[in-house]
Amino acid sequence: MKQNFTVRQGALDGVEAFLNVAEHKSFRQASAALGVTPSAISQAIRTLEARIGAALFIRTTRSVGLTEAGERFLARAKPAFAELIAASEAARDLGQRPAGLLRLSAPRAVVPILLEPLIASFCAAYPEIEVEIAASPELVDLATEGFDAGIRLGQFIAPDMVAVRLTPPFPFAVVGSPDYLRRRKPPERIDDLREHACLRMRRADGSIAPWHFVDGNKAVEAVVTGPFIANDYPTLLGAAMQGLGLVQLPGPLVRAQVADGRLQTLLTRFAVTIPGVFLYHPGRRQVLPKLRAFIDHVKNPASPAVQSRPTDSAPRRRRR
C-alpha cells in the first residue's frame, strides 16, 4: 500500500541551537555564538524538545548537560547538520562563479561546424567548467534529462524557452555530387524531383520528413522518394557525396563542400530560409553562472561562433 509522506514543517528548527548548546554546554555561550538572545535559544530548545517528545538537556543553575535522548540526538544530528551545511556551500559555490559540469544537448551536425571551435575557446577561457555535449537528433526534455541547455534549429524550439541566436537565418539547400549529376539531368523545378533519387531523413517520431520549398509566396511541401534513409544530417551528407542521390540539408552544413566543388546546389530559387540555430534554456531565473558564462561567450564578438551573425538574444517566447 502506498504511503503518503510530507516534510514536517520546521523539522530543522532548533537543531542549530541544540548543537551549539551541546558544544558550549551553555545557553549563554550558544546565544553569543549565534548572535541571538539567551531567551531565543531557550525557546528554540523548548520547541525542539516538544516536537521530539523528549528532554534533550539537564539544566541546573550551574551547568548544562545532555540527557540520554540528547546524546542519541547529538550523535546523528551533528554529522547530518554538517552535511547540510556542506551541501549548501557546494550549491552556493555553483551559484556564485562559473564552475561545474555544463551539459548541452545538440544535433550531431552542429558539433563540427559550430561547437568544436566554440567549445575550444570556451574551455580555455573557463578552466573550472567541464563541458559535456550529448549529440542526438532527438528533441530532449532539458529538465528531465538533466541538461543545462540545448542547441537546435529555431523552428523546433518550444515557445516557452529562452533562445539565444547562434547563426543567422540560412537556406535549406538541395545538393548533389558532380558524379550523380553526370548520370541525371539536374532538376529545374520542384516536380522534377520525382525523377531523382532523393535521400531522406527519418524524424525522431518515426516519420519521414518531406522536403520544403517556397514557390513565390507559396510554401510547398514535397514528398520525395529514394534509395536511402538516415536519422541525422551528417550521414545523409556522406551518402550524397558518394553520389547516392540528392539531399536537402542546412546551408552551413554543405557550405565547404559546395565551395570546393564536391557538391552542387540545385533549385536555389525555390530554397526555403529557416530561422537558424539557437541555444535554448528554460528561463533566466534558472541560469547558473556556468551557463551564463557560455551564453556570454557565444555572444562575444571575439568568439569563433559569432563571425558574421547577429548577436542579439531572441526574445522570450511563451505558449499562448
Side-chain angles (χ1 to χ4, degrees):
M1 180 177 176
K2 183 177 180 180
Q3 297 180 344
N4 293 320
F5 293 94
T6 59
V7 177
R8 189 166 58 238
Q9 186 175 7
L12 296 178
D13 289 353
V15 173
E16 187 174 17
F18 166 82
L19 294 174
N20 273 271
V21 173
E23 178 184 356
H24 295 288
K25 295 183 171 54
S26 164
F27 278 68
R28 186 170 297 279
Q29 291 182 36
S31 68
L34 293 176
V36 297
T37 63
S39 62
I41 292 290
S42 296
Q43 180 60 45
I45 296 300
R46 285 195 297 269
T47 302
L48 179 63
E49 289 175 325
R51 190 166 68 248
I52 291 174
L56 300 177
F57 291 105
I58 299 173
R59 307 168 179 85
T60 71
T61 57
R62 294 179 301 278
S63 63
V64 174
L66 289 167
T67 65
E68 181 181 3
E71 293 281 3
R72 291 189 180 186
F73 187 75
L74 177 65
R76 302 186 70 169
K78 186 174 182 179
F81 194 79
E83 280 297 307
L84 282 174
I85 296 299
S88 298
E89 291 297 329
R92 183 181 298 110
D93 184 56
L94 290 180
Q96 293 178 342
R97 64 188 180 91
L101 177 63
L102 179 66
R103 300 190 71 227
L104 304 173
S105 171
R108 191 158 67 94
V110 309
V111 174
I113 63 175
L114 183 63
L115 283 182
E116 284 181 359
L118 179 63
I119 293 302
S121 60
F122 178 74
C123 288
Y126 296 93
E128 292 188 81
I129 299 178
E130 297 176 326
V131 179
E132 177 183 344
I133 297 175
S136 168
E138 299 181 2
L139 292 172
V140 302
D141 185 313
L142 298 182
T144 301
E145 300 296 330
F147 289 101
D148 295 287
I151 295 173
R152 285 293 183 270
L153 294 176
Q155 65 267 38
F156 297 131
I157 298 175
D160 60 346
M161 293 288 109
V162 173
V164 177
R165 181 177 290 281
L166 297 181
T167 73
F170 52 74
F172 238 56
V174 175
V175 295
S177 71
D179 181 56
Y180 175 84
L181 293 171
R182 278 192 291 269
R183 305 193 307 266
R184 302 282 189 96
K185 179 182 178 182
E188 296 180 358
R189 300 186 57 81
I190 299 171
D191 286 345
D192 294 342
L193 292 173
R194 296 174 182 175
E195 307 301 323
H196 284 268
C198 297
L199 314 181
R200 295 166 292 160
M201 164 76 81
R202 186 177 294 280
R203 294 165 167 158
D205 63 6
S207 63
I208 301 294
W211 288 15
H212 295 277
F213 300 96
V214 59
D215 189 356
N217 294 324
K218 180 182 177 183
V220 178
E221 189 175 274
V223 177
V224 296
T225 60
F228 186 71
I229 299 170
N231 69 348
D232 65 71
Y233 290 144
T235 302
L236 291 173
L237 173 60
M241 292 179 64
Q242 293 298 317
L244 196 57
L246 304 181
V247 68
Q248 188 178 49
L249 294 172
L253 186 61
V254 299
R255 186 176 295 133
Q257 292 82 354
V258 170
D260 63 21
R262 287 177 291 167
L263 292 174
Q264 297 178 22
T265 55
L266 307 160
L267 300 173
T268 55
R269 68 189 180 98
F270 301 108
V272 65
T273 297
I274 59 177
V277 178
F278 292 80
L279 179 142
Y280 65 98
H281 58 87
R284 293 180 177 86
R285 291 186 178 179
Q286 303 172 51
V287 176
L288 289 173
K290 60 183 179 180
L291 179 56
R292 172 51 56 196
F294 186 75
I295 292 172
D296 290 343
H297 190 75
V298 165
K299 297 167 68 175
N300 186 338
S303 167
V306 176
Q307 320 298 337
S308 303
R309 68 160 173 81
T311 58
D312 291 337
S313 173
R316 186 182 181 94
R317 299 166 298 164
R318 296 186 180 277
R319 294 184 188 276
R320 296 187 181 275

